[in-house]
Amino acid sequence: MTPIISKLPQTGTTIFTVMSALANEVGAINLSQGFPDFDTSPELIKLVNTAMKKGHNQYAPMPGVQSLRERIAEKTEKLYGAVYNPDTEITITAGGTQAIFTAITAVINPNDEVIIFEPAFDCYAPAIKLMGGIVKSLELEPPDYRIPWDMVKRLINSKTRMIILNSPHNPTATILHKEDIDELSALVKNQDILILSDEVYEHLIYDGETHHSMARYPELQQRSFIVASFGKPFHATGWKVGYCMAPAFLMSEFRKIHQFLVFSVNAPLQYAIAAYLKDENTYLSLPEFFEKKRDYFRKGLEQTKFKLLPCSGSYFQSVTFDDITNEKDSDFSLRLTKEFGVAAIPTSAFYTKGTDHHVLRFCFAKRQETLDKAVERLLKI
Ligand code: GLN
C-alpha cells in the first residue's frame, strides 16, 4: 500500500496520556493529567440514574438537551451579564476538547493565521494545522506568563483570523486581568478577528479574583466562541460533557461540524446536569473548596526543594526545580515518576519549540492523603 501521508507529522501522543500511562505502569502517584481522585457528588450520580430510569436513553437533540441549554443561559446571564439564546447560541459538546476542535474547524480556512500563547494546551495547534491554518505562537515566560500585548499587536495582519485565549490558564494557573481585556479589546476593534476563549476552569479561581469571561464584554462576546466544561466543576472529567457558546452567526457554522463529528452528546448525563445546575451552590462553592487544596499543597511543597510559581486559578500548581537538577524538564519528570513515585507534566510539552524553563505542573485536585503522600515523596529529593 502507498504510505500514508501524515496530516500531523510532528505530532506524537499527548503528554497527558504518556504521563498517566507511565504513572500507572510504575505505580506512581499521578499528579500529571488533571483529574480528581475523589468522586463526583452522590446526588449527581442519583440524578443520572433517575434520568436513565425515566427513559432518557436515546439520542439527545443535536445541539443538546433543551433544559441544560436553558440552565447554561441562565447561569451565564447571572454571572457575566450576557444573554445567549439557548436555541441558537449554545451547543452541548463531548467535553471542552471537542468544542475547541469544532470551533477551529468551523471557521479556520487555509492560510488563516491564529495567534496562540505558549505554553498552550496541546489540542489548539493540531486543530489549526489540520485546517491548513498557520499557528502564530507567542511564548510567555515564568513566573507571571503575562501577555506582551505590544508583541501581539506586531503579529496581527490582514491574515489574522483568530486569537485563542485561556483563563484560568492551563498549565500556568495564571488568569487574565482587566488590563488584558482592555488591551485585547483595543487590538481587535474594527478588525476581522475572532476569539476562541477556553474557559473550562472558569469556576476554579482564587483569592477573590474575578473571572474575566469574554461574555462580560459585549465587544469581545460578539466575536467569541466560549468553551466551558462540566468535568472540572463537577469532578467528573470522565463524563466528557462540556459546551460552547457563541453568537448565532458563529454557532450555526459550529453546529454544521458538530452534527457530523459527534451528532449529539450522552443524553442521561445532560438531563442530570441540568437538574443539578438548579442549585447555584454546586459551582459557587468551588473556589473555596479548591483554594483550600491549593493552599494545603503549596504549604507542603514549601518544605521541598521545589520553588513555587503563583497559582490564581485552575487546579494546577507549577514549580521550578533549579535547586535540584539541570536536567531537561521532560527527563526530570520521567525520573521523578520512576525513581520518586510522583508524576508531573513537564511544561516544555506545551511549547512548539519545546522551550524548557525547568517548570513542572502538578495537579492538586486530589484527596488530602494523596497530597500528603506526594509531598512526603518529594521531600526525599
Ligand atoms: N485537561 C487535563 C489536563 O490538563 C487533561 C485533558 C486531557 O487529557 N486531554 O491535564
Side-chain angles (χ1 to χ4, degrees), residues 216-368:
R216 282 183 192 275
Y217 306 97
E219 72 282 14
L220 298 177
Q221 185 270 345
Q222 66 191 16
R223 58 175 79 230
S224 292
F225 289 100
I226 297 177
V227 170
S229 158
F230 292 114
K232 276 82 184 173
F234 297 155
H235 322 311
T237 60
W239 288 8
K240 295 298 295 174
V241 184
Y243 59 94
C244 183
M245 304 187 294
F249 79 100
L250 293 175
M251 188 48 76
S252 62
E253 292 303 317
F254 182 98
R255 287 183 180 174
K256 287 183 192 174
I257 312 281
H258 175 80
Q259 64 185 344
F260 296 126
L261 189 57
V262 290
F263 178 59
S264 71
V265 174
N266 189 311
L269 294 186
Q270 293 190 59
Y271 283 98
I273 294 169
Y276 195 62
L277 272 177
K278 281 186 195 148
D279 177 4
E280 61 175 20
N281 211 39
T282 53
Y283 50 89
L284 294 184
S285 59
L286 291 167
E288 197 191 334
F289 174 79
F290 277 113
E291 192 169 313
K292 272 195 197 132
K293 289 198 180 293
R294 177 200 66 169
D295 293 347
Y296 188 78
F297 188 49
R298 283 177 70 93
K299 230 186 220 149
L301 284 177
E302 272 168 15
Q303 324 291 319
T304 71
K305 287 196 174 140
F306 291 99
K307 292 272 172 299
L308 293 161
L309 291 179
C311 169
S312 304
S314 81
Y315 43 41
F316 303 114
Q317 173 63 53
S318 290
V319 294
T320 53
F321 54 83
D322 292 306
D323 291 349
I324 300 174
T325 175
N326 288 326
E327 280 165 281
K328 288 201 286 188
D329 66 355
S330 48
D331 292 339
F332 183 47
S333 66
L334 295 180
R335 198 162 70 80
L336 193 63
T337 311
K338 291 182 198 160
E339 283 180 26
F340 294 93
V342 182
I345 298 281
T347 301
S348 63
F350 301 106
Y351 288 93
T352 310
K353 293 184 185 143
T355 308
D356 182 6
H357 293 288
H358 283 189
V359 175
L360 295 182
R361 187 200 82 173
F362 292 113
C363 172
F364 58 77
K366 305 290 171 189
R367 287 171 289 158
Q368 189 162 320

Side-chain angles (χ1 to χ4, degrees), residues 50-323:
T50 307
M52 287 180 165
K53 282 188 183 148
K54 274 191 179 165
H56 293 306
N57 299 305
Q58 310 309 327
Y59 292 126
M62 183 274 277
V65 164
Q66 182 74 23
S67 57
L68 180 54
R69 285 182 280 132
E70 284 168 5
R71 291 300 83 71
I72 291 168
E74 284 163 18
K75 168 169 105 79
T76 307
E77 184 169 5
K78 189 181 67 190
L79 293 181
Y80 310 126
V83 177
Y84 282 91
N85 181 339
D87 293 331
T88 54
E89 300 184 315
I90 299 175
T91 300
I92 311 302
T93 60
T97 303
Q98 185 237 310
I100 289 163
F101 187 88
T102 307
I104 290 171
T105 313
V107 295
I108 296 306
N109 286 299
N111 297 319
D112 283 348
E113 294 186 0
V114 181
I115 297 176
I116 68 170
F117 301 101
E118 293 187 340
F121 191 61
D122 65 350
C123 77
Y124 305 153
I128 298 162
K129 288 183 198 160
L130 277 175
M131 292 303 108
I134 295 161
V135 180
K136 292 288 195 182
S137 46
L138 219 162
E139 292 200 7
L140 311 181
E141 292 190 1
D144 295 326
Y145 297 100
R146 294 306 297 269
I147 296 176
W149 290 104
D150 51 329
M151 286 172 75
V152 183
K153 193 172 184 180
R154 273 187 256 148
L155 274 187
I156 289 179
N157 62 57
S158 60
K159 287 200 231 153
T160 309
R161 191 72 186 113
M162 179 182 264
I163 299 177
I164 302 185
L165 292 159
N166 173 212
S167 180
H169 188 265
N170 181 6
T172 68
T174 54
I175 55 172
L176 287 177
H177 297 274
K178 181 63 173 61
E179 307 86 79
D180 296 306
I181 298 295
D182 293 342
E183 297 272 8
L184 175 66
S185 304
L187 273 189
V188 297
K189 204 175 169 159
N190 301 325
Q191 303 259 19
D192 252 353
I193 299 176
L194 301 171
I195 293 169
L196 171 55
S197 185
D198 175 354
E199 303 184 13
V200 299
Y201 295 100
E202 67 183 312
H203 298 302
L204 279 62
I205 186 156
Y206 313 126
D207 309 315
E209 292 279 4
T210 299
H211 171 54
H212 290 286
S213 173
M214 294 303 124
R216 282 183 192 275
Y217 306 97
E219 72 282 14
L220 298 177
Q221 185 270 345
Q222 66 191 16
R223 58 175 79 230
S224 292
F225 289 100
I226 297 177
V227 170
S229 158
F230 292 114
K232 276 82 184 173
F234 297 155
H235 322 311
T237 60
W239 288 8
K240 295 298 295 174
V241 184
Y243 59 94
C244 183
M245 304 187 294
F249 79 100
L250 293 175
M251 188 48 76
S252 62
E253 292 303 317
F254 182 98
R255 287 183 180 174
K256 287 183 192 174
I257 312 281
H258 175 80
Q259 64 185 344
F260 296 126
L261 189 57
V262 290
F263 178 59
S264 71
V265 174
N266 189 311
L269 294 186
Q270 293 190 59
Y271 283 98
I273 294 169
Y276 195 62
L277 272 177
K278 281 186 195 148
D279 177 4
E280 61 175 20
N281 211 39
T282 53
Y283 50 89
L284 294 184
S285 59
L286 291 167
E288 197 191 334
F289 174 79
F290 277 113
E291 192 169 313
K292 272 195 197 132
K293 289 198 180 293
R294 177 200 66 169
D295 293 347
Y296 188 78
F297 188 49
R298 283 177 70 93
K299 230 186 220 149
L301 284 177
E302 272 168 15
Q303 324 291 319
T304 71
K305 287 196 174 140
F306 291 99
K307 292 272 172 299
L308 293 161
L309 291 179
C311 169
S312 304
S314 81
Y315 43 41
F316 303 114
Q317 173 63 53
S318 290
V319 294
T320 53
F321 54 83
D322 292 306
D323 291 349

Side-chain angles (χ1 to χ4, degrees), residues 17-34:
T17 299
V18 171
M19 292 312 297
S20 277
L22 180 66
N24 289 337
E25 186 190 318
V26 302
I29 298 171
N30 190 1
L31 305 189
S32 65
Q33 193 178 24

